[in-house]
Amino acid sequence: MARLTAGIGTSHVPAIGAAVDHGNTQTDYWKPLFDGYEPARKWVTENKPDVAIIVYNDHASAFSLELISTFVIGVAPKFKPADEGYGPRKVPDVEGHPELAWHIAQSLILDEFDMTIANELPVDHGLTVPLSITCGQPEAWPMKVIPLAVNVVQYPQPTGNRCYNLGKAIRKAVDSFDEDLNVVIYGTGGMSHQLQGERAGLVNPEFDNAFLDDLTANVPRLLNIGHTEYLRESGSEGIELIMWLIMRGALGDDAKEVYRHYHVPASNSGAGIIVLED
Ligand code: DHB
Ligand code: FE
């Protein structure tokens, strides 16, 4: 059977991808962040996941306000890097796992989560930057990927609690897939950041570190953070953190933290990474 063995939470700041792509990871600005990523990358290399479910949000690359889906699952055999305005990143195409993706889609929909199914889905920095952070610059990504996109851009976004319950349903789906696969799940985005308006540049390390602590110490507190609290405490884009709760919901109650790193600033964000083993 497939096993969901671990979760990774990580920011997906586009400038981090640009630092990798342009060979700037060892500059004074970026080195402390990339040094902090090293143990997580080593963990991925050693643990050899077959498939990663990457929970991310599209930033008006594949979707626009013409069509707003709350939860989207990508079932294609391949996903191309999206053109985000500067041409697509020169990273490998992302290979999907259609059989597992369709199995998860079926299981989630029969469990009453109304997924949108994507047969074509160009993937932007929300998905490719976490791959760069945890896999470096390989010729081909070392695992297959099932993209799971969440609307965190346009109100009304789903609640954190709904996201957590979706994670639980994903776990049930993976556990019932009849093939021996090592599956990990990524929750991406955040941490605190605000890209526009009067409070542009807002970062809240205290909020971010408490969020990292409570992924193991007090998950119920995180499930009760509402949209207004995210806005107030973590800026207008901090709500991306609800995607980490999908990752957390897919893991058992007593998941164990094996690594974390937090660094400010990375572009406009508090940049965190955490590895949790089931
Ligand atoms: C930044 C962070 C994001 O998550 C994003 O999607 C875009 C920009 C930033 O910090 O610059
Ligand atoms: Fe983002």
Side-chain angles (χ1 to χ4, degrees):
M1 301 301 276
R3 288 158 299 123
L4 209 158
T5 57
I8 296 174
T10 177
S11 305
H12 62 211
V13 178
I16 296 174
V20 173
D21 298 347
H22 299 127
N24 292 331
T25 60
Q26 297 306 302
T27 61
D28 289 349
Y29 182 86
W30 289 110
K31 190 175 182 329
L33 178 68
F34 282 93
D35 284 352
Y37 286 152
E38 210 46 57
R41 187 173 310 172
K42 188 159 169 273
W43 185 95
V44 170
T45 308
E46 287 173 0
N47 285 272
K48 297 187 180 44
D50 299 304
V51 183
I53 299 165
I54 302 188
V55 181
Y56 77 108
N57 67 291
D58 178 77
H59 304 73
S61 308
F63 306 124
S64 70
L65 296 183
E66 285 171 16
L67 178 67
I68 302 162
S69 293
T70 302
F71 298 120
V72 181
I73 184 165
V75 297
K78 191 171 279 191
F79 306 93
K80 292 269 185 201
D83 184 343
E84 302 183 54
Y86 301 91
R89 289 185 67 206
K90 291 187 179 52
V91 292
D93 288 350
V94 174
E95 264 197 68
H97 195 303
E99 296 80 10
L100 178 58
W102 274 107
H103 171 82
I104 293 172
Q106 169 179 273
S107 183
L108 292 179
I109 291 167
L110 296 182
D111 266 342
E112 303 178 349
F113 287 88
D114 305 316
M115 307 300 293
T116 298
I117 296 173
N119 282 302
E120 192 176 329
L121 184 61
V123 287
D124 72 7
H125 66 268
L127 185 137
T128 63
V129 167
L131 281 173
S132 297
I133 287 170
T134 51
C135 306
Q137 292 179 287
E139 289 282 304
W141 298 120
M143 63 265 205
K144 297 192 168 170
V145 172
I146 297 176
L148 199 152
V150 181
N151 167 40
V152 294
V153 171
Q154 173 62 49
Y155 187 84
Q157 298 93 339
T159 63
N161 189 56
R162 180 68 169 162
C163 288
Y164 181 76
N165 286 328
L166 176 63
K168 285 194 175 302
I170 290 171
R171 170 56 174 270
K172 182 177 156 198
V174 171
D175 280 350
S176 62
F177 188 65
D178 197 11
E179 190 184 326
D180 189 22
L181 292 174
N182 177 8
V183 181
V184 298
I185 181 165
Y186 287 51
T188 79
M191 299 186 88
S192 57
H193 64 301
Q194 171 147 344
L195 302 177
Q196 68 249 302
E198 278 176 26
R199 298 198 308 162
L202 178 146
V203 174
N204 185 346
E206 214 174 301
F207 178 92
D208 291 343
N209 283 299
F211 192 96
L212 291 168
D213 288 344
D214 286 349
L215 279 170
T216 49
N218 190 0
V219 177
R221 182 186 75 83
L222 302 183
L223 304 187
N224 282 315
I225 300 176
H227 294 132
T228 312
E229 186 175 347
Y230 277 115
L231 269 174
R232 188 178 61 237
E233 300 300 326
S234 66
S236 51
E237 276 73 47
I239 195 170
E240 289 183 341
L241 282 169
I242 61 174
M243 297 186 288
W244 294 40
L245 298 178
I246 298 179
M247 174 274 284
R248 185 62 189 87
L251 305 176
D253 289 345
D254 46 5
K256 179 167 93 294
E257 176 178 330
V258 293
Y259 182 67
R260 90 156 81 163
H261 181 73
Y262 181 75
H263 178 78
V264 172
S267 184
N268 301 293
S269 297
I273 188 162
I274 195 163
V275 181
L276 302 173
E277 285 180 358
D278 190 57

